[in-house]
Amino acid sequence: MTLVRHARGPNPLSGFQVDRAAIRYVGHDLQRPECILAERDGTLWSADARGGVMRIDPDGSQSLVSQAADPHFDLSASAADSLLTGTLPNGLAFASNGDFLISNFGTDRLERMTRNGETSVLLDTIDGKPPGKVNFVLRDSRDRLWITVSTRINPWSDAIRTGLSDGFLIVVDERGARIVADGFHFTNEVRLDANEEWIYVAETTAKRVTRLRILPDGSLTDREIYGPSSLGKGLVDGICFDAYGNLWATMIFADRLVAITPDGDLLELLDDGDPAGTQGFEEAFQFGRPVPFDVLMRSGGTICPWLASVTFGGADLRTVHLGGLRSTNIPTFDSPVAGLPMVHW
């Protein structure tokens, strides 16, 4: 594969490790804060399994903006079943007018929610069929939407196994919605490089990142593995670029935070996994059958249980926020390098 070589001095992540003692925690009593959006003024928004997003202001006050105006929403999911059932707001993005774009892992559709909770459906079929587990949405500078569908299997936990490659990537532009790439192993988060020349795809159950070149019409080509063919223990979930060109990645179930450098090397930034839980997961995962949910539940760490996403925020984009499927708050720490600004920044 072709890697981007930088002539900007040493990589600021070389030798960097997250200092556990310096981690701060934002928010409280959150429910499945899988994805986090940061705004310039310090406001954070996290996906919430009660249906909607939680707003967390810079002073620490918080309020839930609940989805409304749609009779098909079931907002009754309890904390006990919020990992698998009911409405499961997952990936978030800002629309150009500031509305929320919500990839709902429970309702299997892409939704749009205003800041007062009014909700509508943007996509609930593709090629005449329900799409499956709509996982993530990303908006680019041309106002195109890139949507990942992890699998058509429900519950999603039955797709946590090797050998299944029914995930795909949808683009929505002025021509409508269409599948532009498929055959992914549990398609998860996607990101664009600084020039929006490539789209990077987290293939969760393949433990790798794949990238594809974006052509002017939105079609994709030159598919290749980016960085190592395996990122090691756990499964890659969330990815995010910093301004130097490192691609940060979360490894759920092992609760590791890693980064792929522009030269393709893998850096370990944090390992918070429970050793016995991680070993149990890896042993079950290797057989090609769905990993039993009780094995999944025994995995993960204590800082951000089931570490799923990484987001840069703060005025200088040097504040890192972590999202976790089983976390009830947002661990936060300072980075030696700023994040790559997202399109809403």
Side-chain angles (χ1 to χ4, degrees):
M1 61 166 291
T2 302
L3 292 164
V4 180
R5 304 260 174 202
H6 288 254
R8 293 183 288 176
N11 192 327
L13 282 189
S14 295
F16 171 73
Q17 295 279 301
V18 177
D19 180 359
R20 293 167 183 260
I23 293 175
R24 312 176 297 276
Y25 292 87
V26 177
H28 58 87
D29 301 316
L30 306 181
Q31 216 174 96
R32 201 180 179 273
E34 202 277 353
C35 186
I36 299 157
L37 292 178
E39 293 191 280
R40 278 183 180 271
D41 65 359
T43 303
L44 297 181
W45 303 85
S46 68
D48 196 283
R50 286 162 288 202
V53 296
M54 183 68 79
R55 173 178 178 148
I56 306 174
D57 291 318
D59 65 2
S61 60
Q62 60 185 54
S63 57
L64 180 66
V65 181
S66 297
Q67 294 170 313
D70 190 317
H72 296 97
F73 284 105
D74 176 11
L75 303 180
S76 61
S78 67
D81 63 14
S82 65
L83 291 170
L84 289 174
T85 64
T87 179
L88 294 175
N90 206 71
L92 303 176
F94 285 120
S96 57
N97 70 345
D99 286 352
F100 295 97
L101 304 172
I102 299 176
S103 295
N104 199 311
F105 214 50
T107 61
D108 296 349
R109 59 198 192 185
L110 180 68
E111 298 154 359
R112 184 181 190 122
M113 186 183 77
T114 67
R115 298 205 177 194
N116 62 11
E118 294 180 10
T119 302
S120 58
V121 177
L122 291 184
L123 185 143
D124 59 1
T125 61
I126 190 73
D127 296 336
K129 298 182 292 186
K133 294 288 110 180
V134 179
N135 187 306
F136 193 72
V137 57
L138 182 72
R139 183 172 64 89
D140 68 16
S141 64
R142 296 175 55 177
D143 213 29
R144 294 177 297 197
L145 303 183
W146 301 92
I147 304 161
T148 66
V149 177
S150 296
T151 180
R152 293 187 188 270
I153 290 178
N154 193 11
W156 62 264
S157 56
D158 286 351
I160 303 301
R161 60 182 176 89
T162 59
L164 180 66
S165 56
D166 65 340
F168 52 93
L169 179 61
I170 297 169
V171 69
V172 180
D173 58 13
E174 67 278 359
R175 296 165 53 193
R178 60 196 181 279
I179 297 172
V180 286
D182 58 13
F184 295 108
H185 296 258
F186 204 93
T187 333
N188 214 303
E189 287 197 8
V190 291
R191 297 292 177 182
L192 303 170
D193 60 14
N195 296 322
E196 298 190 350
E197 295 176 348
W198 295 85
I199 188 165
Y200 295 73
V201 181
E203 287 196 78
T204 294
T205 53
K207 295 175 174 276
R208 71 187 181 203
V209 173
T210 295
R211 73 174 184 174
L212 304 94
R213 188 186 302 275
I214 305 173
L215 299 181
D217 65 355
S219 60
L220 304 176
T221 187
D222 297 338
R223 182 169 173 168
E224 62 185 12
I225 296 172
Y226 183 75
S229 59
S230 173
L231 300 182
K233 297 179 296 182
L235 302 181
V236 60
D237 193 325
I239 54 177
C240 189
F241 274 107
D242 65 30
Y244 185 85
N246 300 299
L247 184 63
W248 297 43
T250 62
M251 302 297 292
I252 195 171
F253 307 132
D255 285 13
R256 298 166 57 228
L257 181 65
V258 301
I260 303 171
T261 72
D263 292 329
D265 299 321
L266 187 68
L267 303 178
E268 183 102 11
L269 308 179
L270 174 69
D271 184 349
D272 185 50
D274 173 76
T278 299
Q279 181 179 351
F281 168 79
E282 294 293 334
E283 290 176 350
F285 182 71
Q286 66 179 323
F287 291 110
R289 298 186 294 271
V291 177
F293 199 67
D294 65 317
V295 173
L296 297 180
M297 291 295 289
R298 288 195 293 270
S299 70
T302 59
I303 294 174
C304 188
W306 284 13
L307 177 59
S309 69
V310 53
T311 300
F312 287 90
D316 57 1
L317 282 173
R318 288 178 177 265
T319 303
V320 178
H321 305 288
L322 302 179
L325 266 64
R326 296 175 64 192
S327 184
T328 57
N329 51 27
I330 298 171
T332 297
F333 60 88
D334 297 329
S335 168
V337 58
L340 181 68
M342 295 184 66
V343 67
H344 71 264
W345 205 258

